[in-house]
Amino acid sequence: MAEELTPATPEETEEPIKQRKNGLYREVSDELAENMKSGWADTELTGLAPIAQAEHTAARRAALSARFPGERLVIPAGNLKTRSNDTEYSFRASTEYAYLTGDQTQDGVLVLEPTAGGHRATIYLLPRSNRENGEFWLDGQGELWVGRRHSLAEAEQLLGIPAKDVRELPAALQEATGPVRNVRGHDAAIEAALTDKVTAERDEELRVYLSEARLVKDAFEIAELQKACDSTARGFEDVVKVLDKAEATSERYIEGTFFLRARVEGNDIGYGSICAAGPHATTLHWVRNDGAVRSGELLLLDAGVETTELYTADVTRTLPINGRFNEIQRRIYDAVYEAQEAGIAAVKPGADYRDFHDAAQRVLAEKLVEWGLLGDLDVEKVLELGLQRRWTLHGTGHMLGMDVHDCAAARTASYVDATLEPGMCLTVEPGLYFQADDLTVPEEYRGIGVRIEDDILVTEDGNRNLSASLPRQADEVEAWMARLKG
Ligand SMILES: [Mn+2]
C-alpha cells in the first residue's frame, strides 16, 4: 500500500508547507502547492437513483423514531481500527448504522433530530476533498490517497437522507440541548462530545431496541440472506473441488479457497471460517486452521459469506475428506442429521424459540443412550441432568442476519423466551463431539466431531431452508462430492 501524507497543521501556516512520509517531513514548494490547486475536472454526479434498500431503511428509521419520540438519537458507523503501526483492519460499518442507512462509510454518523411530528434524519459524512487548501493531496483522508468519495449531495440522492459535514458534528452535539441517546462502542469522538448528556442505561435501551428491531427481517433482508446462503454454497463447492490440494498443504487451503468466494461475490466472510479437519472438529472455535487434512478423516467446515450489504450466512457441513463416510463416521453423522431434521421441523410460527433446541437435543440424547455411552440411564433422566452435553456442547442455534449471532442485545423475553414469528431467521446446528482424549467413549469415537448447520427462515406456514442447495443427507453428500471431484 502507499504511504500516507499528513497535512501541515493550521498553526504551521506561516511555516513552509510540509508532507510527512515514513515519519519524515518533506517540504513542499509554494509552486507545487499552487500547482496542485487547479487543473482538475468537475466530476459531480447528478440524478443518482436511490440505493435498492432506501425504502426499507426509511421504514426502519420511522420505527426507531416512533419508539423514542422527542429524543435526539445518534448512531455512528465507527472508525478504522489499527492493526499495527500505521496499517488498519479493513473497515466494517456498525450493524446499527448500516441497518438504518444502507451506508457503510467509515466515520459516518446518523442523527435523528426530534421535531414536532417525529424526527428529522441527517447523515454526517466526510465531504469530497478540498483542492484549494491542499487536503486533497496532503491529508491522510485526502481523496488522492484513499479514492474519490461521494459528495454530500450525491450521498443525499443515494441514501435519501440529507447529508452534512461530519467534522461539524461533535461541536453541534456539544451545543445541543434536550435528551439524547447514542449507540456506544463505535466512535470515541462522538462519545466524548456526548459524555455529559447521556447515561449508560438510556444508551443501552437504544442498543436493545435496535437489536430487537432486527429479529423480524423485511423483504430486502430475506433476499440478502438468500444471496449469502447461495454464495456460501458455491464456496463449499469450491472447497470440495480442491480437497486434494488441501491434503497436500493444510486447512489453510480450505480457508483461503472459501475466502476467495466471499471476497469476489460479497463483502467478506461473516466470521472467521472454522476449517477443522480430523480431531480439530471437536474444538468448537477452531480458527487457527493450520492442521493437516488427511484422507479417511472428516472435515468440519463452518463458514459464511457476508454480502456486500452485510448480511451473512452461517453454514456447517461435515464432509468425508476422501468422499466416503466410514461406518463409525456415518453412524455419528446420521445421528446429527436426524437431530437436525427434528430441530428444523420445530421451526414454525407460534412455536417456542426453545423448541428446536429441545427437539434436537432429545434425538442426540436418544442416540447416546442407544450407543451405551450413558450407562443405564434412560433418556428422560439424561435430559433432566443434561448429561448429553458432554458431547453436544453448545446450543442448537441462534438468530442470523447482519451479525452472525444477530440480535444479541435483545432481551431474553423477546428472544430466547419468545415465540417464533414469520420473518425470523435462525440457524439449526446440532452437533456431536468426541474429544480425542475422552476415555468415557470407545476408542473408535475419539477425535470425531460432526455438526450440520443450516439457515432457516420462519415463514407464514412453517419454514424455508435458505441453505438447502447444499446436501445434508449422507448418501447425497457423497454423491455431491463425487460429482464435484469428478
Ligand atoms: Mn452458527
Side-chain angles (χ1 to χ4, degrees), residues 284 336 339 357 360-366 368 374 382-383 386-396 429-435 450-451:
L284 292 182
V336 174
H357 173 70
Q361 288 287 302
R362 174 167 290 275
V363 171
L364 295 175
E366 284 168 2
L368 292 163
L374 286 157
V382 166
L383 289 169
L387 292 175
Q388 80 285 0
R389 292 170 59 183
R390 182 181 177 100
W391 302 292
T392 66
L393 297 185
H394 55 79
T396 307
E429 50 174 312
L432 282 175
Y433 311 89
F434 300 102
Q435 305 299 317
V450 173
R451 175 165 66 256

Side-chain angles (χ1 to χ4, degrees), residues 271 302 313-316 394-400 404-405 426-429 451 453-455:
Y271 54 96
D302 182 344
D314 179 9
V315 174
T316 306
H394 55 79
T396 307
H398 51 84
M399 293 295 177
L400 182 72
V404 62
H405 298 149
L426 49 102
T427 69
V428 178
E429 50 174 312
R451 175 165 66 256
E453 175 176 29
D454 284 81
D455 301 342

